[in-house]
Amino acid sequence: MDEKDMTLRVEALESILVEKGYVEPAALDVIIETYEKDVGPRNGAHVVARSWVDPAYRERLLTDATAAIAELGYGGRQGEHMVAVENTADEHHLVVCTLCSCYPWPVLGLPPTWYKSPAYRSRVVIDPRGVLADFGVTLPADTRITVHDSTAEVRYLVVPRRPRGTDGWDEGALAALVTRDSMIGTGLVEGPA
């Protein structure tokens, strides 16, 4: 199903639910606005950027991610039990939910379509290096890849490696480099050109 067909289906479903009185249009507007303005990968990018510039915050994040993320004002449903894992030169972390699509909404927003696909969920645990290659990520052969399986109880945030050439950058500039995929582990953070 392409995006146009999916959009038409969602609109049709919304019309029926509103028409039958199951949902209020104003409630749907609040939900949409929340995910457009308050929830999303920019929250996670802020968390990552703070960890890059503040070593004490980084330690708190790696020790108790839920509390450290809450320090920055992010939390709530689907983000109650967070674990942060840090990419290093020796180890790269990759997140999946093999059962369904458990995902840390307060810091990453809604999951991308591919994250929920059976192909990603099954293949990433068998061939993580091959999946990374599909995303355009090639790691040195001696880099260990650790796959984390999210559940309803534990959700993960990957802290990507800070790119070279960003010494002295402030949090805002650093956060602008951080992508959703880099916080799932399917991408890397690119430095300045």
Side-chain angles (χ1 to χ4, degrees), residues 77-100:
R77 192 167 166 246
Q78 310 298 323
E80 300 93 341
H81 308 288
M82 294 289 302
V83 171
V85 290
E86 183 180 44
N87 285 344
T88 66
D90 300 323
E91 184 174 23
H92 183 88
H93 298 276
L94 191 55
V95 180
V96 65
C97 176
T98 57
L99 293 176
C100 50

Side-chain angles (χ1 to χ4, degrees), residues 96-139:
V96 65
C97 176
T98 57
L99 293 176
C100 50
S101 59
C102 294
Y103 195 73
W105 293 1
V107 289
L108 295 184
L110 298 174
T113 305
W114 56 260
Y115 185 83
K116 298 181 278 185
S117 74
Y120 175 77
R121 291 169 21 210
S122 61
R123 188 165 165 240
V124 75
V125 294
I126 298 168
D127 181 21
R129 202 168 288 274
V131 169
L132 287 173
D134 291 346
F135 280 90
V137 175
T138 303
L139 299 172

Side-chain angles (χ1 to χ4, degrees), residues 96-97 99 102-103 149-156:
V96 65
C97 176
L99 293 176
C102 294
Y103 195 73
D149 195 359
S150 286
T151 67
E153 287 79 34
V154 178
R155 291 155 202 259
Y156 295 90

